[in-house]
PDB file of all heavy atoms in Angstrom:
ATOM      1  N   ALA A1019      -2.986  15.243  13.775  1.00 78.00           N
ATOM      2  CA  ALA A1019      -2.621  14.254  12.738  1.00 78.00           C
ATOM      3  C   ALA A1019      -1.165  14.140  12.598  1.00 78.00           C
ATOM      4  O   ALA A1019      -0.632  13.046  12.359  1.00 78.00           O
ATOM      5  CB  ALA A1019      -3.333  14.575  11.404  1.00 78.00           C
ATOM      6  N   ALA A1020      -0.417  15.249  12.641  1.00 80.00           N
ATOM      7  CA  ALA A1020       1.020  15.215  12.480  1.00 80.00           C
ATOM      8  C   ALA A1020       1.721  14.586  13.635  1.00 80.00           C
ATOM      9  O   ALA A1020       2.805  13.930  13.532  1.00 80.00           O
ATOM     10  CB  ALA A1020       1.585  16.618  12.283  1.00 80.00           C
ATOM     11  N   ILE A1021       1.074  14.622  14.787  1.00 87.00           N
ATOM     12  CA  ILE A1021       1.672  14.022  16.002  1.00 87.00           C
ATOM     13  C   ILE A1021       1.229  12.553  16.130  1.00 87.00           C
ATOM     14  O   ILE A1021       2.009  11.670  16.362  1.00 87.00           O
ATOM     15  CB  ILE A1021       1.288  14.728  17.317  1.00 87.00           C
ATOM     16  CG1 ILE A1021       1.787  16.138  17.223  1.00 87.00           C
ATOM     17  CG2 ILE A1021       1.736  13.993  18.563  1.00 87.00           C
ATOM     18  CD1 ILE A1021       3.266  16.304  17.205  1.00 87.00           C
ATOM     19  N   ALA A1022      -0.064  12.246  15.963  1.00 92.00           N
ATOM     20  CA  ALA A1022      -0.623  10.890  16.198  1.00 92.00           C
ATOM     21  C   ALA A1022      -0.421  10.056  14.961  1.00 92.00           C
ATOM     22  O   ALA A1022      -0.453   8.846  15.094  1.00 92.00           O
ATOM     23  CB  ALA A1022      -2.125  10.963  16.602  1.00 92.00           C
ATOM     24  N   GLY A1023      -0.284  10.600  13.775  1.00 94.00           N
ATOM     25  CA  GLY A1023      -0.206   9.885  12.543  1.00 94.00           C
ATOM     26  C   GLY A1023      -1.573   9.130  12.337  1.00 94.00           C
ATOM     27  O   GLY A1023      -2.585   9.696  12.703  1.00 94.00           O
ATOM     28  N   ASN A1024      -1.479   7.974  11.729  1.00 97.00           N
ATOM     29  CA  ASN A1024      -2.724   7.170  11.539  1.00 97.00           C
ATOM     30  C   ASN A1024      -3.266   6.675  12.945  1.00 97.00           C
ATOM     31  O   ASN A1024      -2.410   6.101  13.661  1.00 97.00           O
ATOM     32  CB  ASN A1024      -2.496   6.036  10.607  1.00 97.00           C
ATOM     33  CG  ASN A1024      -1.844   6.567   9.289  1.00 97.00           C
ATOM     34  OD1 ASN A1024      -2.317   7.489   8.732  1.00 97.00           O
ATOM     35  ND2 ASN A1024      -0.765   5.839   8.934  1.00 97.00           N
ATOM     36  N   HIS A1025      -4.521   6.902  13.236  1.00 97.00           N
ATOM     37  CA  HIS A1025      -4.963   6.521  14.571  1.00 97.00           C
ATOM     38  C   HIS A1025      -6.438   6.120  14.576  1.00 97.00           C
ATOM     39  O   HIS A1025      -7.225   6.488  13.681  1.00 97.00           O
ATOM     40  CB  HIS A1025      -4.738   7.613  15.568  1.00 97.00           C
ATOM     41  CG  HIS A1025      -5.346   8.945  15.283  1.00 97.00           C
ATOM     42  ND1 HIS A1025      -4.810   9.861  14.366  1.00 97.00           N
ATOM     43  CD2 HIS A1025      -6.557   9.496  15.634  1.00 97.00           C
ATOM     44  CE1 HIS A1025      -5.588  10.934  14.295  1.00 97.00           C
ATOM     45  NE2 HIS A1025      -6.684  10.734  15.022  1.00 97.00           N
ATOM     46  N   VAL A1026      -6.900   5.482  15.632  1.00 98.00           N
ATOM     47  CA  VAL A1026      -8.214   5.144  15.895  1.00 98.00           C
ATOM     48  C   VAL A1026      -8.604   5.566  17.333  1.00 98.00           C
ATOM     49  O   VAL A1026      -7.832   5.358  18.272  1.00 98.00           O
ATOM     50  CB  VAL A1026      -8.446   3.608  15.792  1.00 98.00           C
ATOM     51  CG1 VAL A1026      -9.866   3.187  16.216  1.00 98.00           C
ATOM     52  CG2 VAL A1026      -8.101   3.133  14.349  1.00 98.00           C
ATOM     53  N   VAL A1027      -9.781   6.164  17.448  1.00 98.00           N
ATOM     54  CA  VAL A1027     -10.317   6.486  18.827  1.00 98.00           C
ATOM     55  C   VAL A1027     -11.617   5.732  19.057  1.00 98.00           C
ATOM     56  O   VAL A1027     -12.444   5.742  18.196  1.00 98.00           O
ATOM     57  CB  VAL A1027     -10.562   8.004  18.900  1.00 98.00           C
ATOM     58  CG1 VAL A1027     -11.129   8.388  20.262  1.00 98.00           C
ATOM     59  CG2 VAL A1027      -9.314   8.844  18.583  1.00 98.00           C
ATOM     60  N   ILE A1028     -11.645   5.056  20.177  1.00 98.00           N
ATOM     61  CA  ILE A1028     -12.775   4.224  20.518  1.00 98.00           C
ATOM     62  C   ILE A1028     -13.446   4.723  21.809  1.00 98.00           C
ATOM     63  O   ILE A1028     -12.719   4.996  22.854  1.00 98.00           O
ATOM     64  CB  ILE A1028     -12.277   2.748  20.782  1.00 98.00           C
ATOM     65  CG1 ILE A1028     -11.620   2.188  19.535  1.00 98.00           C
ATOM     66  CG2 ILE A1028     -13.497   1.827  21.208  1.00 98.00           C
ATOM     67  CD1 ILE A1028     -10.935   0.860  19.769  1.00 98.00           C
ATOM     68  N   GLU A1029     -14.769   4.953  21.710  1.00 98.00           N
ATOM     69  CA  GLU A1029     -15.540   5.245  22.997  1.00 98.00           C
ATOM     70  C   GLU A1029     -15.708   3.989  23.711  1.00 98.00           C
ATOM     71  O   GLU A1029     -16.305   2.957  23.243  1.00 98.00           O
ATOM     72  CB  GLU A1029     -16.840   5.895  22.617  1.00 98.00           C
ATOM     73  CG  GLU A1029     -17.621   6.275  23.885  1.00 98.00           C
ATOM     74  CD  GLU A1029     -18.920   7.027  23.560  1.00 98.00           C
ATOM     75  OE1 GLU A1029     -19.275   7.138  22.398  1.00 98.00           O
ATOM     76  OE2 GLU A1029     -19.529   7.540  24.495  1.00 98.00           O
ATOM     77  N   LEU A1030     -15.147   3.867  24.932  1.00 98.00           N
ATOM     78  CA  LEU A1030     -15.179   2.610  25.732  1.00 98.00           C
ATOM     79  C   LEU A1030     -16.499   2.374  26.393  1.00 98.00           C
ATOM     80  O   LEU A1030     -17.011   3.322  27.122  1.00 98.00           O
ATOM     81  CB  LEU A1030     -14.114   2.646  26.779  1.00 98.00           C
ATOM     82  CG  LEU A1030     -12.626   2.900  26.195  1.00 98.00           C
ATOM     83  CD1 LEU A1030     -11.622   3.030  27.352  1.00 98.00           C
ATOM     84  CD2 LEU A1030     -12.248   1.754  25.270  1.00 98.00           C
ATOM     85  N   ARG A1031     -17.029   1.205  26.194  1.00 95.00           N
ATOM     86  CA  ARG A1031     -18.369   0.933  26.694  1.00 95.00           C
ATOM     87  C   ARG A1031     -18.460   1.019  28.224  1.00 95.00           C
ATOM     88  O   ARG A1031     -17.618   0.480  28.912  1.00 95.00           O
ATOM     89  CB  ARG A1031     -18.777  -0.490  26.234  1.00 95.00           C
ATOM     90  CG  ARG A1031     -20.287  -0.871  26.577  1.00 95.00           C
ATOM     91  CD  ARG A1031     -20.630  -2.208  26.133  1.00 95.00           C
ATOM     92  NE  ARG A1031     -20.002  -3.242  26.922  1.00 95.00           N
ATOM     93  CZ  ARG A1031     -20.067  -4.545  26.714  1.00 95.00           C
ATOM     94  NH1 ARG A1031     -20.750  -5.005  25.604  1.00 95.00           N
ATOM     95  NH2 ARG A1031     -19.446  -5.422  27.462  1.00 95.00           N
ATOM     96  N   GLY A1032     -19.452   1.822  28.743  1.00 89.00           N
ATOM     97  CA  GLY A1032     -19.687   1.837  30.151  1.00 89.00           C
ATOM     98  C   GLY A1032     -18.765   2.724  31.000  1.00 89.00           C
ATOM     99  O   GLY A1032     -18.958   2.855  32.176  1.00 89.00           O
ATOM    100  N   SER A1033     -17.816   3.418  30.360  1.00 89.00           N
ATOM    101  CA  SER A1033     -16.839   4.167  31.181  1.00 89.00           C
ATOM    102  C   SER A1033     -16.872   5.701  30.905  1.00 89.00           C
ATOM    103  O   SER A1033     -16.440   6.475  31.712  1.00 89.00           O
ATOM    104  CB  SER A1033     -15.398   3.692  30.880  1.00 89.00           C
ATOM    105  OG  SER A1033     -15.012   4.152  29.568  1.00 89.00           O
ATOM    106  N   GLY A1034     -17.483   6.050  29.759  1.00 91.00           N
ATOM    107  CA  GLY A1034     -17.467   7.475  29.417  1.00 91.00           C
ATOM    108  C   GLY A1034     -16.113   8.000  28.928  1.00 91.00           C
ATOM    109  O   GLY A1034     -15.976   9.204  28.671  1.00 91.00           O
ATOM    110  N   ALA A1035     -15.155   7.065  28.803  1.00 97.00           N
ATOM    111  CA  ALA A1035     -13.804   7.479  28.401  1.00 97.00           C
ATOM    112  C   ALA A1035     -13.547   7.014  26.926  1.00 97.00           C
ATOM    113  O   ALA A1035     -14.290   6.222  26.331  1.00 97.00           O
ATOM    114  CB  ALA A1035     -12.748   6.878  29.353  1.00 97.00           C
ATOM    115  N   PHE A1036     -12.480   7.457  26.393  1.00 98.00           N
ATOM    116  CA  PHE A1036     -12.083   7.198  25.013  1.00 98.00           C
ATOM    117  C   PHE A1036     -10.648   6.694  24.941  1.00 98.00           C
ATOM    118  O   PHE A1036      -9.727   7.327  25.578  1.00 98.00           O
ATOM    119  CB  PHE A1036     -12.211   8.476  24.136  1.00 98.00           C
ATOM    120  CG  PHE A1036     -13.556   9.019  24.175  1.00 98.00           C
ATOM    121  CD1 PHE A1036     -14.029   9.843  25.188  1.00 98.00           C
ATOM    122  CD2 PHE A1036     -14.461   8.770  23.115  1.00 98.00           C
ATOM    123  CE1 PHE A1036     -15.292  10.368  25.175  1.00 98.00           C
ATOM    124  CE2 PHE A1036     -15.722   9.328  23.145  1.00 98.00           C
ATOM    125  CZ  PHE A1036     -16.165  10.164  24.167  1.00 98.00           C
ATOM    126  N   ALA A1037     -10.381   5.596  24.176  1.00 98.00           N
ATOM    127  CA  ALA A1037      -9.038   5.110  24.010  1.00 98.00           C
ATOM    128  C   ALA A1037      -8.601   5.480  22.661  1.00 98.00           C
ATOM    129  O   ALA A1037      -9.279   5.300  21.692  1.00 98.00           O
ATOM    130  CB  ALA A1037      -8.966   3.611  24.204  1.00 98.00           C
ATOM    131  N   ALA A1038      -7.286   5.991  22.563  1.00 98.00           N
ATOM    132  CA  ALA A1038      -6.689   6.307  21.330  1.00 98.00           C
ATOM    133  C   ALA A1038      -5.459   5.374  21.053  1.00 98.00           C
ATOM    134  O   ALA A1038      -4.675   5.250  22.002  1.00 98.00           O
ATOM    135  CB  ALA A1038      -6.245   7.768  21.247  1.00 98.00           C
ATOM    136  N   LEU A1039      -5.431   4.803  19.872  1.00 98.00           N
ATOM    137  CA  LEU A1039      -4.297   3.997  19.463  1.00 98.00           C
ATOM    138  C   LEU A1039      -3.714   4.646  18.253  1.00 98.00           C
ATOM    139  O   LEU A1039      -4.434   4.899  17.252  1.00 98.00           O
ATOM    140  CB  LEU A1039      -4.709   2.541  19.123  1.00 98.00           C
ATOM    141  CG  LEU A1039      -5.309   1.814  20.303  1.00 98.00           C
ATOM    142  CD1 LEU A1039      -6.885   1.855  20.165  1.00 98.00           C
ATOM    143  CD2 LEU A1039      -4.818   0.366  20.397  1.00 98.00           C
ATOM    144  N   VAL A1040      -2.405   5.026  18.401  1.00 97.00           N
ATOM    145  CA  VAL A1040      -1.789   5.940  17.347  1.00 97.00           C
ATOM    146  C   VAL A1040      -0.547   5.382  16.745  1.00 97.00           C
ATOM    147  O   VAL A1040       0.088   4.382  17.309  1.00 97.00           O
ATOM    148  CB  VAL A1040      -1.606   7.293  17.946  1.00 97.00           C
ATOM    149  CG1 VAL A1040      -2.879   7.756  18.643  1.00 97.00           C
ATOM    150  CG2 VAL A1040      -0.434   7.372  18.836  1.00 97.00           C
ATOM    151  N   HIS A1041       0.020   6.022  15.682  1.00 97.00           N
ATOM    152  CA  HIS A1041       1.138   5.646  14.913  1.00 97.00           C
ATOM    153  C   HIS A1041       0.954   4.309  14.157  1.00 97.00           C
ATOM    154  O   HIS A1041       1.847   3.604  13.848  1.00 97.00           O
ATOM    155  CB  HIS A1041       2.395   5.474  15.871  1.00 97.00           C
ATOM    156  CG  HIS A1041       2.699   6.627  16.747  1.00 97.00           C
ATOM    157  ND1 HIS A1041       2.668   7.905  16.309  1.00 97.00           N
ATOM    158  CD2 HIS A1041       2.987   6.681  18.098  1.00 97.00           C
ATOM    159  CE1 HIS A1041       2.905   8.710  17.315  1.00 97.00           C
ATOM    160  NE2 HIS A1041       3.112   8.003  18.424  1.00 97.00           N
ATOM    161  N   LEU A1042      -0.297   4.181  13.671  1.00 98.00           N
ATOM    162  CA  LEU A1042      -0.624   2.916  12.964  1.00 98.00           C
ATOM    163  C   LEU A1042      -0.152   2.945  11.540  1.00 98.00           C
ATOM    164  O   LEU A1042       0.116   3.963  10.980  1.00 98.00           O
ATOM    165  CB  LEU A1042      -2.191   2.735  13.011  1.00 98.00           C
ATOM    166  CG  LEU A1042      -2.834   2.820  14.395  1.00 98.00           C
ATOM    167  CD1 LEU A1042      -4.313   2.848  14.268  1.00 98.00           C
ATOM    168  CD2 LEU A1042      -2.325   1.635  15.256  1.00 98.00           C
ATOM    169  N   ARG A1043      -0.021   1.768  10.952  1.00 98.00           N
ATOM    170  CA  ARG A1043       0.569   1.628   9.587  1.00 98.00           C
ATOM    171  C   ARG A1043      -0.454   2.162   8.626  1.00 98.00           C
ATOM    172  O   ARG A1043      -1.625   1.933   8.645  1.00 98.00           O
ATOM    173  CB  ARG A1043       0.842   0.140   9.223  1.00 98.00           C
ATOM    174  CG  ARG A1043       1.543   0.003   7.862  1.00 98.00           C
ATOM    175  CD  ARG A1043       1.948  -1.379   7.631  1.00 98.00           C
ATOM    176  NE  ARG A1043       0.825  -2.353   7.477  1.00 98.00           N
ATOM    177  CZ  ARG A1043       0.034  -2.439   6.422  1.00 98.00           C
ATOM    178  NH1 ARG A1043       0.177  -1.639   5.339  1.00 98.00           N
ATOM    179  NH2 ARG A1043      -0.923  -3.324   6.409  1.00 98.00           N
ATOM    180  N   SER A1044       0.056   2.951   7.666  1.00 97.00           N
ATOM    181  CA  SER A1044      -0.762   3.559   6.624  1.00 97.00           C
ATOM    182  C   SER A1044      -1.489   2.444   5.825  1.00 97.00           C
ATOM    183  O   SER A1044      -0.917   1.455   5.449  1.00 97.00           O
ATOM    184  CB  SER A1044       0.196   4.291   5.646  1.00 97.00           C
ATOM    185  OG  SER A1044      -0.616   4.884   4.586  1.00 97.00           O
ATOM    186  N   GLY A1045      -2.794   2.680   5.677  1.00 97.00           N
ATOM    187  CA  GLY A1045      -3.551   1.738   4.884  1.00 97.00           C
ATOM    188  C   GLY A1045      -4.006   0.412   5.660  1.00 97.00           C
ATOM    189  O   GLY A1045      -4.636  -0.408   5.071  1.00 97.00           O
ATOM    190  N   SER A1046      -3.657   0.381   6.929  1.00 98.00           N
ATOM    191  CA  SER A1046      -3.966  -0.905   7.656  1.00 98.00           C
ATOM    192  C   SER A1046      -5.230  -0.825   8.471  1.00 98.00           C
ATOM    193  O   SER A1046      -5.671  -1.827   8.986  1.00 98.00           O
ATOM    194  CB  SER A1046      -2.826  -1.210   8.646  1.00 98.00           C
ATOM    195  OG  SER A1046      -2.792  -0.308   9.718  1.00 98.00           O
ATOM    196  N   LEU A1047      -5.901   0.398   8.591  1.00 98.00           N
ATOM    197  CA  LEU A1047      -7.088   0.458   9.439  1.00 98.00           C
ATOM    198  C   LEU A1047      -8.193  -0.401   8.884  1.00 98.00           C
ATOM    199  O   LEU A1047      -8.564  -0.308   7.719  1.00 98.00           O
ATOM    200  CB  LEU A1047      -7.520   1.962   9.537  1.00 98.00           C
ATOM    201  CG  LEU A1047      -6.794   2.791  10.608  1.00 98.00           C
ATOM    202  CD1 LEU A1047      -5.343   2.864  10.341  1.00 98.00           C
ATOM    203  CD2 LEU A1047      -7.433   4.176  10.757  1.00 98.00           C
ATOM    204  N   ARG A1048      -8.818  -1.173   9.759  1.00 98.00           N
ATOM    205  CA  ARG A1048      -9.908  -2.104   9.426  1.00 98.00           C
ATOM    206  C   ARG A1048     -11.257  -1.628   9.900  1.00 98.00           C
ATOM    207  O   ARG A1048     -12.268  -2.373   9.723  1.00 98.00           O
ATOM    208  CB  ARG A1048      -9.580  -3.450   9.976  1.00 98.00           C
ATOM    209  CG  ARG A1048      -8.372  -4.193   9.407  1.00 98.00           C
ATOM    210  CD  ARG A1048      -8.228  -5.576   9.973  1.00 98.00           C
ATOM    211  NE  ARG A1048      -7.201  -6.315   9.342  1.00 98.00           N
ATOM    212  CZ  ARG A1048      -7.131  -7.650   9.353  1.00 98.00           C
ATOM    213  NH1 ARG A1048      -8.068  -8.356   9.915  1.00 98.00           N
ATOM    214  NH2 ARG A1048      -6.077  -8.281   8.719  1.00 98.00           N
ATOM    215  N   VAL A1049     -11.330  -0.468  10.541  1.00 98.00           N
ATOM    216  CA  VAL A1049     -12.565  -0.045  11.110  1.00 98.00           C
ATOM    217  C   VAL A1049     -12.910   1.395  10.661  1.00 98.00           C
ATOM    218  O   VAL A1049     -11.952   2.134  10.193  1.00 98.00           O
ATOM    219  CB  VAL A1049     -12.589  -0.077  12.610  1.00 98.00           C
ATOM    220  CG1 VAL A1049     -12.553  -1.517  13.076  1.00 98.00           C
ATOM    221  CG2 VAL A1049     -11.385   0.728  13.193  1.00 98.00           C
ATOM    222  N   ALA A1050     -14.109   1.776  10.678  1.00 98.00           N
ATOM    223  CA  ALA A1050     -14.579   3.119  10.372  1.00 98.00           C
ATOM    224  C   ALA A1050     -15.403   3.730  11.506  1.00 98.00           C
ATOM    225  O   ALA A1050     -15.818   3.031  12.388  1.00 98.00           O
ATOM    226  CB  ALA A1050     -15.420   3.098   9.068  1.00 98.00           C
ATOM    227  N   ALA A1051     -15.487   5.042  11.516  1.00 97.00           N
ATOM    228  CA  ALA A1051     -16.302   5.669  12.558  1.00 97.00           C
ATOM    229  C   ALA A1051     -17.673   5.096  12.561  1.00 97.00           C
ATOM    230  O   ALA A1051     -18.313   4.887  11.516  1.00 97.00           O
ATOM    231  CB  ALA A1051     -16.366   7.236  12.305  1.00 97.00           C
ATOM    232  N   GLY A1052     -18.178   4.774  13.760  1.00 98.00           N
ATOM    233  CA  GLY A1052     -19.550   4.153  13.941  1.00 98.00           C
ATOM    234  C   GLY A1052     -19.521   2.642  14.156  1.00 98.00           C
ATOM    235  O   GLY A1052     -20.442   2.070  14.538  1.00 98.00           O
ATOM    236  N   ALA A1053     -18.328   2.032  13.875  1.00 98.00           N
ATOM    237  CA  ALA A1053     -18.278   0.613  13.979  1.00 98.00           C
ATOM    238  C   ALA A1053     -18.182   0.203  15.439  1.00 98.00           C
ATOM    239  O   ALA A1053     -17.449   0.822  16.211  1.00 98.00           O
ATOM    240  CB  ALA A1053     -17.037   0.100  13.210  1.00 98.00           C
ATOM    241  N   ARG A1054     -18.876  -0.908  15.746  1.00 98.00           N
ATOM    242  CA  ARG A1054     -18.749  -1.485  17.120  1.00 98.00           C
ATOM    243  C   ARG A1054     -17.589  -2.472  17.113  1.00 98.00           C
ATOM    244  O   ARG A1054     -17.451  -3.249  16.181  1.00 98.00           O
ATOM    245  CB  ARG A1054     -20.077  -2.145  17.514  1.00 98.00           C
ATOM    246  CG  ARG A1054     -21.232  -1.193  17.678  1.00 98.00           C
ATOM    247  CD  ARG A1054     -22.427  -1.817  18.272  1.00 98.00           C
ATOM    248  NE  ARG A1054     -23.501  -0.847  18.430  1.00 98.00           N
ATOM    249  CZ  ARG A1054     -23.559  -0.112  19.550  1.00 98.00           C
ATOM    250  NH1 ARG A1054     -22.687  -0.232  20.560  1.00 98.00           N
ATOM    251  NH2 ARG A1054     -24.616   0.807  19.653  1.00 98.00           N
ATOM    252  N   VAL A1055     -16.791  -2.444  18.149  1.00 98.00           N
ATOM    253  CA  VAL A1055     -15.639  -3.350  18.254  1.00 98.00           C
ATOM    254  C   VAL A1055     -15.658  -4.074  19.584  1.00 98.00           C
ATOM    255  O   VAL A1055     -16.242  -3.615  20.509  1.00 98.00           O
ATOM    256  CB  VAL A1055     -14.308  -2.571  18.114  1.00 98.00           C
ATOM    257  CG1 VAL A1055     -14.188  -1.990  16.673  1.00 98.00           C
ATOM    258  CG2 VAL A1055     -14.137  -1.562  19.122  1.00 98.00           C
ATOM    259  N   THR A1056     -15.079  -5.194  19.624  1.00 98.00           N
ATOM    260  CA  THR A1056     -14.943  -5.986  20.802  1.00 98.00           C
ATOM    261  C   THR A1056     -13.474  -6.186  21.203  1.00 98.00           C
ATOM    262  O   THR A1056     -12.577  -6.144  20.318  1.00 98.00           O
ATOM    263  CB  THR A1056     -15.645  -7.413  20.649  1.00 98.00           C
ATOM    264  OG1 THR A1056     -14.983  -8.091  19.608  1.00 98.00           O
ATOM    265  CG2 THR A1056     -17.104  -7.234  20.407  1.00 98.00           C
ATOM    266  N   ALA A1057     -13.201  -6.324  22.429  1.00 97.00           N
ATOM    267  CA  ALA A1057     -11.829  -6.536  22.913  1.00 97.00           C
ATOM    268  C   ALA A1057     -11.139  -7.679  22.200  1.00 97.00           C
ATOM    269  O   ALA A1057     -11.747  -8.720  22.086  1.00 97.00           O
ATOM    270  CB  ALA A1057     -11.802  -6.716  24.421  1.00 97.00           C
ATOM    271  N   GLY A1058      -9.982  -7.420  21.640  1.00 97.00           N
ATOM    272  CA  GLY A1058      -9.226  -8.470  20.897  1.00 97.00           C
ATOM    273  C   GLY A1058      -9.439  -8.488  19.432  1.00 97.00           C
ATOM    274  O   GLY A1058      -8.765  -9.235  18.710  1.00 97.00           O
ATOM    275  N   GLN A1059     -10.352  -7.667  18.918  1.00 98.00           N
ATOM    276  CA  GLN A1059     -10.570  -7.591  17.531  1.00 98.00           C
ATOM    277  C   GLN A1059      -9.475  -6.721  16.813  1.00 98.00           C
ATOM    278  O   GLN A1059      -9.119  -5.692  17.331  1.00 98.00           O
ATOM    279  CB  GLN A1059     -11.955  -6.896  17.305  1.00 98.00           C
ATOM    280  CG  GLN A1059     -12.361  -6.611  15.832  1.00 98.00           C
ATOM    281  CD  GLN A1059     -13.620  -5.858  15.652  1.00 98.00           C
ATOM    282  OE1 GLN A1059     -14.510  -5.920  16.562  1.00 98.00           O
ATOM    283  NE2 GLN A1059     -13.847  -5.216  14.487  1.00 98.00           N
ATOM    284  N   GLN A1060      -9.009  -7.216  15.743  1.00 98.00           N
ATOM    285  CA  GLN A1060      -7.952  -6.456  15.059  1.00 98.00           C
ATOM    286  C   GLN A1060      -8.517  -5.185  14.412  1.00 98.00           C
ATOM    287  O   GLN A1060      -9.564  -5.237  13.703  1.00 98.00           O
ATOM    288  CB  GLN A1060      -7.214  -7.287  13.968  1.00 98.00           C
ATOM    289  CG  GLN A1060      -6.161  -6.425  13.242  1.00 98.00           C
ATOM    290  CD  GLN A1060      -5.287  -7.259  12.302  1.00 98.00           C
ATOM    291  OE1 GLN A1060      -5.409  -8.431  12.202  1.00 98.00           O
ATOM    292  NE2 GLN A1060      -4.383  -6.575  11.628  1.00 98.00           N
ATOM    293  N   ILE A1061      -7.928  -4.045  14.710  1.00 98.00           N
ATOM    294  CA  ILE A1061      -8.450  -2.784  14.106  1.00 98.00           C
ATOM    295  C   ILE A1061      -7.436  -2.173  13.194  1.00 98.00           C
ATOM    296  O   ILE A1061      -7.796  -1.308  12.408  1.00 98.00           O
ATOM    297  CB  ILE A1061      -8.762  -1.742  15.269  1.00 98.00           C
ATOM    298  CG1 ILE A1061      -7.572  -1.498  16.134  1.00 98.00           C
ATOM    299  CG2 ILE A1061      -9.937  -2.274  16.144  1.00 98.00           C
ATOM    300  CD1 ILE A1061      -7.778  -0.381  17.166  1.00 98.00           C
ATOM    301  N   ALA A1062      -6.207  -2.592  13.226  1.00 98.00           N
ATOM    302  CA  ALA A1062      -5.176  -1.963  12.333  1.00 98.00           C
ATOM    303  C   ALA A1062      -3.854  -2.749  12.528  1.00 98.00           C
ATOM    304  O   ALA A1062      -3.854  -3.870  13.057  1.00 98.00           O
ATOM    305  CB  ALA A1062      -4.969  -0.509  12.738  1.00 98.00           C
ATOM    306  N   ALA A1063      -2.775  -2.226  12.078  1.00 98.00           N
ATOM    307  CA  ALA A1063      -1.435  -2.820  12.194  1.00 98.00           C
ATOM    308  C   ALA A1063      -0.499  -1.760  12.755  1.00 98.00           C
ATOM    309  O   ALA A1063      -0.655  -0.547  12.505  1.00 98.00           O
ATOM    310  CB  ALA A1063      -0.927  -3.401  10.905  1.00 98.00           C
ATOM    311  N   CYS A1064       0.535  -2.245  13.446  1.00 98.00           N
ATOM    312  CA  CYS A1064       1.574  -1.288  14.042  1.00 98.00           C
ATOM    313  C   CYS A1064       2.338  -0.638  12.840  1.00 98.00           C
ATOM    314  O   CYS A1064       2.757  -1.252  11.895  1.00 98.00           O
ATOM    315  CB  CYS A1064       2.519  -2.134  14.870  1.00 98.00           C
ATOM    316  SG  CYS A1064       3.833  -1.130  15.644  1.00 98.00           S
ATOM    317  N   GLY A1065       2.554   0.641  12.975  1.00 98.00           N
ATOM    318  CA  GLY A1065       3.206   1.394  11.948  1.00 98.00           C
ATOM    319  C   GLY A1065       4.277   2.409  12.592  1.00 98.00           C
ATOM    320  O   GLY A1065       4.656   2.262  13.748  1.00 98.00           O
ATOM    321  N   ASN A1066       4.676   3.315  11.747  1.00 97.00           N
ATOM    322  CA  ASN A1066       5.586   4.334  12.155  1.00 97.00           C
ATOM    323  C   ASN A1066       5.236   5.671  11.603  1.00 97.00           C
ATOM    324  O   ASN A1066       6.012   6.424  11.058  1.00 97.00           O
ATOM    325  CB  ASN A1066       7.047   3.978  11.725  1.00 97.00           C
ATOM    326  CG  ASN A1066       8.097   4.696  12.429  1.00 97.00           C
ATOM    327  OD1 ASN A1066       8.045   4.914  13.624  1.00 97.00           O
ATOM    328  ND2 ASN A1066       9.148   5.211  11.747  1.00 97.00           N
TER     329      ASN A1066
END
């Protein structure tokens, strides 16, 4: 958490791999664990 900061990890459909998007803006996350997402869907905002 101290390295990645605010982040989201997505299990990628059909690949068995996971994508992590990190350093997101505090309070901007729009998804929760268990949510299904599609490519291009906003999940958060860029932060520091």
Side-chain angles (χ1 to χ4, degrees):
I1021 298 296
N1024 307 313
H1025 60 274
V1026 174
V1027 179
I1028 300 170
E1029 183 175 7
L1030 303 174
R1031 189 178 70 183
S1033 72
F1036 301 82
L1039 299 101
V1040 312
H1041 309 313
L1042 305 173
R1043 182 175 68 76
S1044 178
S1046 74
L1047 275 63
R1048 295 187 173 198
V1049 293
R1054 294 188 177 275
V1055 295
T1056 57
Q1059 175 183 339
Q1060 183 174 353
I1061 58 173
C1064 180
N1066 198 42

